[in-house]
Amino acid sequence: MDNFQNCTKEELIAEVKALRAHNKQLQNIIQKGTSTKPDQPKCNKKPFDFQNCKFHHVLLKFLYLGWDYQGYVTQEDTVNTIEHHVFNALTKTCLIENRFSANYHRCGRTDKGVSSFSQVISLDLRSNGSDLKNEINYCKILNSVLPENIQFVAWSPAKSGFSARFDCKNRTYKYFFPKSNLNIEAMKTAANYLLGTHDFRNFCKMDVNNGVVEFNRTILTVDISLFQDDGRYSIHVLTIKGNAFLWHQIRCIVGILVLVGQGKEKPEVVVELLDVTRNPRKPDYHMASEVPLNLYDCHYDDINWIYDKEALNIVKTKLYKIWMFSSIKTAMMKSMLLDLEKETGEMHCSSDFLIQGVKCKNYIPVMKRQLCESLEDKIEHSLKRRKRKQNPS
């Protein structure tokens, strides 16, 4: 409640709108019966009796490789989401009775194809009591019924009102990309302009329909470093930490940084895009691919994560197996590329694949491109749509 008391009127309105939209989505899911029906086990066991169970509020930390999923959040038209599998595991292991009684919050909502090393959720789980040494091994029991690419790694007891979302102090994202033909130093110069508090409306997709009308965010740290040294096949990683992020903010940032690295834009284009007084409307540019993006850390004060060595070793084994076969595929393709380069005498080195969308033959500078709708226009159109829904006649 302390978080809400410190919110402005506009922030409270935005939060209420977002919660209403989410509740409506969940109601539609229940009506259609798509969220649990496909995975319901066929058994004649007596229903689990939750009446005499103890419940404790906890945080759960888990990783997932999101490439094969339609995003984190439960959706009406698919069960192929991270959240669907998580709740399927929670109910199958009888750690919760249902989603609505679980006091559930998630730290972040990653899009289709995006992965996470440290996603965090808070909820009320069935408990053995107050003795932590004899508590249910939450990670081990959940991982036994989850896909190998979704695995819990730690948990922590928390106060009853603690929220994985609202009590998160900062979030860190990592974006992995090949060195290719990119000028890394120019990208570092451009990235440093992002530090501090800015209006990032030109570095995101405006989500005014869900009540987001304020775009000031703070970037605490930003860094581009070498992750794996392998010549022109080297991998670098952008690490960016902030209190909170906007929809597609990281991918828009990377989209611009890649253009700088390619020499198509100067690093100062970041400064121009951050100046919303002179440039209140976002130029029409393409954001970067979702595949290399990872929600890498969600930080909380005064939380001591509990790791079970046995459960963690099982997770590491599963992750190693996935890594091994992925590395073999990578090595095989690299071998083919090297042999083909010998035949042609040319090296293929392009970073264009990182950027989504159709490539133009003649490059148009970002600041000279067609402009998107202004924030004011988007808000006005959103209000008109809402009125038409309320008064269809």
Side-chain angles (χ1 to χ4, degrees), residues 228-344:
Q228 183 178 0
D229 190 1
D230 190 12
R232 66 182 183 279
Y233 291 98
S234 295
I235 298 294
H236 282 70
V237 58
L238 166 72
T239 304
I240 186 166
K241 179 167 74 172
N243 297 331
F245 292 90
L246 298 159
W247 191 17
H248 290 164
Q249 184 178 347
I250 305 296
R251 292 169 63 190
C252 286
I253 286 173
V254 176
I256 293 296
L257 293 182
V258 169
L259 293 177
V260 171
Q262 291 175 334
K264 296 177 179 178
E265 297 287 343
K266 294 182 179 180
E268 287 70 30
V269 70
V270 173
V271 179
E272 294 185 69
L273 289 169
L274 290 174
D275 187 352
V276 298
T277 301
R278 292 180 56 193
N279 303 294
R281 297 169 63 189
K282 177 186 174 185
D284 187 14
Y285 63 86
H286 298 298
M287 61 184 178
S289 168
E290 73 280 1
V291 173
L293 183 58
N294 193 303
L295 172 58
Y296 213 78
D297 183 52
C298 302
H299 177 73
Y300 302 86
D301 290 341
D302 303 321
I303 291 295
N304 297 313
W305 293 105
I306 298 173
Y307 295 89
D308 179 76
K309 186 175 181 180
E310 180 186 358
L312 207 56
N313 282 335
I314 296 173
V315 173
K316 287 161 59 181
T317 299
K318 292 177 181 178
L319 200 58
Y320 180 84
K321 175 185 172 183
I322 298 172
W323 171 86
M324 182 183 72
F325 284 106
S326 296
S327 297
I328 290 170
K329 292 175 184 177
T330 299
M332 184 185 296
M333 288 182 283
K334 181 181 175 182
S335 175
M336 293 176 178
L337 277 170
L338 292 174
D339 283 339
L340 288 174
E341 288 173 359
K342 291 177 184 177
E343 295 297 328
T344 61

Side-chain angles (χ1 to χ4, degrees), residues 16-35:
V16 170
K17 288 179 179 178
L19 289 172
R20 283 182 175 176
H22 184 59
N23 287 339
K24 181 65 177 176
Q25 183 188 53
L26 291 177
Q27 289 170 4
N28 291 337
I29 289 170
I30 293 172
Q31 290 172 1
K32 291 183 178 180
T34 57
S35 66

Side-chain angles (χ1 to χ4, degrees), residues 115-127:
S115 301
S116 178
F117 177 60
S118 294
Q119 176 68 277
V120 177
I121 58 176
S122 56
L123 71 174
D124 297 336
L125 294 186
R126 180 167 58 85
S127 171

